Amino acid sequence: MTSIALFNNKGGVGKTTLTYHLAHMIRRLGLSVLAVDLDPQANLTSMCLDETEIEDLWENPSELINQGAAKAGLPGTGRVRSGQTIADAVRPILEGTGDIAAVEPVELQPGLWLLPGSLDLSRFEDKLSNEWSRAYAGDIAAIRTSTSFHRIIEQATRTVGADVVLIDVGPNLGAINRAALISADTVLMPLAADLFSLKGLSNLGPTLRQWRADWQQLVLPRVPANISAPQAEMRPLGYVIMQPEMRLDRPVKAYERWLKRIPWVYSSAVLDEVEPTREDGRHRIATMRNYRSLMPLAHDARKPMFDLRPADGALGSTQQYVKTCFKEFQTLSREVLARIGEPLEEARPTAPADRR
């Protein structure tokens, strides 16, 4: 199993959309996938599940019991159960009643699972922040807290047998993201071609290196053998450019100067190269065009953009756009898998579903 965190501390770059579509396409390519929503905004969860399912999922189990058997017997979707989010998994640690609780991933389709998020996860931020420095001294409770996301993901991965884990995190450098990112083997960075993404990169690289060094040098040597702990590898996998509005299939001219600066900033800030080159495009995995016209249809249909059919409203020339989307995400997913060294099955991926 290889875990990939998708992260940029600048918001609004299409990170969650990228996570969602990568998860579906990697599954299409023949590997089993676990998507993990560690963003307290729970945007990935809202893309994967409808409101009825999320309402069932976020139902407080204690409230359910207090409301009696009649309430507990209300019909739900059958796909989710209350008390099965990341926030529920860390609740015993937050409340001081025990270690992580087992949660069951939601099966979105055969071979594709979601470990759902919750707005309640934001309550865990202060706990993680306070325990980080105590873990340096080998405090067992602090180590259990700091390794909680890693152990939850490890447990869920073992349960479903996932080949690839995709971790969606929020756009900040807070304690939740620190605990999430040290749990990742690799980090994939979605970028917009603008000043804010470049500034985010310049902050992100040094921060990741500091987190890695602190964890590996100060905490790992003090972790007891009976507690599973991440290695905090956080290996930079590369970056994906998320294009703005298109004009004649080219980025808007105002963004071109930022596009040219990205390779140098990535190499110097993220990879810490002493003599980076401005023309080095080795670390760019793909440039994804703007599919804004497909997103509302995909949201309403509860499916990836590349699976839209005429029945979903993707009519006429939009179908060609859907096919282009399919090819781009297929190419992107293959390149991501090649970079993590994850072999594909011999069977060819299926084309987009029939268009009826």
Side-chain angles (χ1 to χ4, degrees):
M1 181 275 294
T2 301
S3 57
I4 306 170
L6 287 90
F7 180 57
N8 185 338
N9 63 314
K10 190 268 182 187
V13 296
K15 171 182 55 63
T16 300
T17 299
L18 185 61
T19 306
Y20 176 83
H21 286 82
L22 269 177
H24 281 83
M25 183 55 75
I26 291 174
R27 176 57 198 141
R28 183 73 63 87
L29 290 170
L31 298 178
S32 56
V33 180
L34 173 67
V36 181
D37 192 352
L38 285 177
D39 183 352
Q41 295 299 312
N43 290 323
L44 181 61
T45 298
S46 68
M47 289 188 74
C48 294
L49 305 174
D50 63 35
E51 284 193 2
T52 301
E53 291 176 311
I54 295 174
E55 183 180 13
D56 289 345
L57 193 69
W58 289 354
E59 189 76 58
N60 188 314
S62 61
E63 289 180 4
L64 200 62
I65 293 172
N66 292 337
Q67 290 165 1
K71 170 67 175 175
L74 285 175
T77 62
R79 192 161 61 150
V80 303
R81 294 188 295 123
S82 62
Q84 296 293 307
T85 71
I86 295 284
D88 295 304
V90 300
R91 183 170 285 114
I93 292 179
L94 182 61
E95 297 177 349
T97 59
D99 201 359
I100 58 170
V103 294
E104 182 180 338
V106 177
E107 186 176 30
L108 303 177
Q109 60 179 249
L112 176 58
W113 295 270
L114 170 70
L115 201 51
S118 169
L119 273 65
D120 288 343
L121 185 60
S122 60
R123 297 172 52 212
F124 200 45
E125 184 90 38
D126 288 344
K127 179 73 170 178
L128 284 168
S129 180
N130 294 335
E131 299 289 68
W132 181 257
S133 58
R134 295 179 59 199
Y136 295 165
D139 183 275
I140 300 301
I143 289 173
R144 289 189 183 279
T145 299
S146 300
T147 61
S148 57
F149 289 159
H150 163 76
R151 292 183 292 123
I152 292 165
I153 293 171
E154 184 179 61
Q155 185 180 76
T157 302
R158 196 163 48 237
T159 298
V160 302
D163 299 312
V164 178
V165 175
L166 298 179
I167 305 172
D168 188 37
V169 296
N172 62 71
L173 295 174
I176 286 178
N177 280 2
R178 179 172 56 194
L181 286 163
I182 66 169
S183 303
D185 300 318
T186 62
V187 180
L188 173 63
M189 301 176 189
L191 303 175
D194 58 29
L195 170 63
F196 301 99
S197 277
L198 290 180
K199 182 61 177 176
L201 273 185
S202 65
N203 293 331
L204 178 57
T207 300
L208 290 184
R209 288 194 295 276
Q210 186 63 57
W211 288 350
R212 183 187 299 113
D214 288 349
W215 185 261
Q216 293 179 348
Q217 297 170 20
L218 301 177
V219 181
L220 268 184
R222 295 171 173 79
V223 177
N226 65 333
I227 298 179
S228 178
Q231 298 302 304
E233 292 182 9
M234 297 182 283
R235 176 170 60 88
L237 199 61
Y239 59 88
V240 176
I241 302 295
M242 310 297 283
Q243 285 187 341
E245 293 286 351
M246 303 293 289
R247 183 180 298 138
L248 298 179
D249 232 26
R250 298 284 295 173
V252 176
K253 189 173 182 61
Y255 290 84
E256 291 181 357
R257 62 182 179 131
W258 303 116
L259 285 170
K260 294 177 181 178
R261 295 187 189 184
I262 288 174
W264 186 86
V265 175
Y266 184 87
S267 296
S268 60
V270 177
L271 302 182
D272 199 25
E273 294 181 353
V274 178
E275 296 182 358
T277 170
R278 292 182 182 275
E279 304 302 324
D280 189 353
R282 293 173 299 158
H283 308 297
R284 181 181 63 83
I285 298 177
T287 298
M288 306 299 291
R289 72 185 68 210
N290 186 295
Y291 286 104
R292 185 170 298 175
S293 62
L294 297 182
M295 279 304 298
L297 298 177
H299 183 270
D300 291 342
R302 291 283 165 192
K303 61 175 61 172
M305 294 182 290
F306 48 70
D307 278 342
L308 289 170
R309 308 178 183 182
D312 302 316
L315 304 172
S317 61
T318 304
Q319 269 304 301
Q320 186 57 48
Y321 206 33
V322 170
K323 292 177 182 178
T324 300
C325 180
F326 181 90
K327 291 177 182 177
E328 286 198 349
F329 274 99
Q330 184 184 91
T331 300
L332 168 63
S333 299
R334 286 187 175 278
E335 179 61 25
V336 168
L337 293 175
R339 292 191 179 216
I340 65 173
E342 192 68 49
L344 294 173
E345 294 180 355
E346 289 299 319
R348 299 288 89 188
T350 59
D354 75 75
R355 303 298 175 187
R356 290 191 301 241

